Amino acid sequence: DGGITQSPKYLFRKEGQNVTLSCEQNLNHDAMYWYRQDPGQGLRLIYYSQIVNDFQKGDIAEGYSVSREKKESFPLTVTSAQKNPTAFYLCASSIGLQGAQPQHFGDGTRLSIL
Amino acid sequence: KQEVTQIPAALSVPEGENLVLNCSFTDSAIYNLQWFRQDPGKGLTSLLLIQSSQREQTSGRLNASLDKSSGRSTLYIAASQPGDSATYLCAEGSSGSARQLTFGSGTQLTVLP
């Protein structure tokens, strides 16, 4: 079955540490996205990529970095510069421009601070 | 900056009741409107997508409407079931080049057996 796989499901970060969240899709979608969800809030866009080797900042990109070396993969690194990283992180993909097609989501990674 | 508002934040109804969830948005140049379902600790599942040229979309017991002039969308759930219990989020797709989605904070629905 096609879908989006996020790993790990739970992740703990120590002070000053960078951590990387994995997102893999086998839907053959061009566009991929990273969102952050805080309790009782909607999703906020961190980064998005419409094609391999290209990505754009979303609304809250500070303290995060991404890469898009393969169509199937869009890892997110939470750097030590992100002072409040505790949140639920969701990866999504769509065939093309996100407004034009429904987005498909992974099951998320919950990041906490040790 | 576009804003999407969902009221109420939480709703409890008895099984079998028909119900309406509300979503309001400020973007007059809306491209489309999507409704999602989120189960606890899970990702989002797209339920319905309404293009700006459409007035409504239906899937099974779900019907979503879009009124651009008033900046409102509604999700109607007929004959609610306990399995419908989840958080429902709406998201507005803008007409900008990136067509980014702006999400509401959701309505947490509980259907009581």
Side-chain angles (χ1 to χ4, degrees), chain A residues 3-4 25 27 44 54 61 63 65 67 70 77 79 84 99 101 104 107 109 112:
Chain A
I4 299 176
Q25 56 100 356
L27 298 166
R44 291 182 290 168
D54 182 66
S65 66
S67 62
K70 298 187 300 181
T77 297
T79 74
N84 184 25
Q101 300 289 342
H104 298 257
D107 278 344
T109 292
S112 302

Side-chain angles (χ1 to χ4, degrees), chain B residues 58-109:
Chain B
T58 299
S59 176
R61 295 183 293 109
L62 305 180
N63 175 275
S65 67
L66 176 65
D67 185 342
K68 290 190 297 181
S69 62
S70 66
R72 293 185 60 192
S73 176
T74 61
L75 179 66
Y76 174 83
I77 302 177
S80 58
Q81 304 170 358
D84 294 330
S85 298
T87 297
Y88 292 81
L89 295 99
C90 66
E92 173 243 332
S94 72
S95 295
S97 59
R99 302 216 174 116
Q100 294 187 24
L101 292 179
T102 301
F103 284 83
S105 55
T107 294
Q108 185 176 2
L109 173 67

Side-chain angles (χ1 to χ4, degrees), chain A residues 60-101:
Chain A
I60 55 166
E62 185 174 350
Y64 301 96
S65 66
V66 294
S67 62
R68 186 86 187 276
E69 298 177 359
K70 298 187 300 181
K71 187 176 185 178
E72 303 78 20
S73 179
F74 191 40
L76 173 74
T77 297
V78 184
T79 74
S80 57
Q82 173 50 246
K83 298 307 179 186
N84 184 25
T86 298
F88 190 48
Y89 290 87
L90 288 162
C91 178
S93 71
S94 64
I95 294 174
L97 291 173
Q98 63 177 312
Q101 300 289 342

Side-chain angles (χ1 to χ4, degrees), chain B residues 1 12 23 26 30-31 37 42 45 57 62 83-84 98 103:
Chain B
K1 181 170 170 53
S12 290
C23 172
T26 58
I30 183 173
Y31 185 76
R37 169 184 173 139
K42 297 290 188 180
T45 299
Q57 283 285 338
L62 305 180
D84 294 330
F103 284 83

Side-chain angles (χ1 to χ4, degrees), chain A:
Chain A
D1 286 340
I4 299 176
T5 301
Q6 290 188 241
S7 62
K9 189 172 179 65
Y10 299 97
L11 187 59
F12 298 91
R13 195 190 88 170
K14 294 180 181 178
E15 199 71 33
Q17 184 183 39
N18 294 350
V19 292
T20 298
L21 285 61
S22 171
C23 177
E24 303 277 335
Q25 56 100 356
N26 61 4
L27 298 166
N28 199 34
H29 285 173
D30 287 315
M32 297 186 73
Y33 317 88
W34 274 106
Y35 292 95
R36 170 179 172 141
Q37 186 176 32
D38 293 284
Q41 297 188 31
L43 279 65
R44 291 182 290 168
L45 183 65
I46 305 172
Y47 269 99
Y48 65 97
S49 168
Q50 296 187 12
I51 195 169
V52 173
N53 292 323
D54 182 66
F55 47 84
Q56 305 294 330
K57 293 181 179 180
D59 296 326
I60 55 166
E62 185 174 350
Y64 301 96
S65 66
V66 294
S67 62
R68 186 86 187 276
E69 298 177 359
K70 298 187 300 181
K71 187 176 185 178
E72 303 78 20
S73 179
F74 191 40
L76 173 74
T77 297
V78 184
T79 74
S80 57
Q82 173 50 246
K83 298 307 179 186
N84 184 25
T86 298
F88 190 48
Y89 290 87
L90 288 162
C91 178
S93 71
S94 64
I95 294 174
L97 291 173
Q98 63 177 312
Q101 300 289 342
Q103 289 191 31
H104 298 257
F105 283 80
D107 278 344
T109 292
R110 190 167 298 280
L111 176 62
S112 302
I113 298 298
L114 282 177

Side-chain angles (χ1 to χ4, degrees), chain B residues 30-62:
Chain B
I30 183 173
Y31 185 76
N32 61 23
L33 194 293
Q34 292 189 47
W35 281 93
F36 294 89
R37 169 184 173 139
Q38 185 176 31
D39 292 292
K42 297 290 188 180
L44 279 64
T45 299
S46 180
L47 298 173
L48 290 165
L49 183 152
I50 312 174
Q51 301 291 355
S52 60
S53 58
Q54 300 174 320
R55 293 295 300 271
E56 64 179 320
Q57 283 285 338
T58 299
S59 176
R61 295 183 293 109
L62 305 180

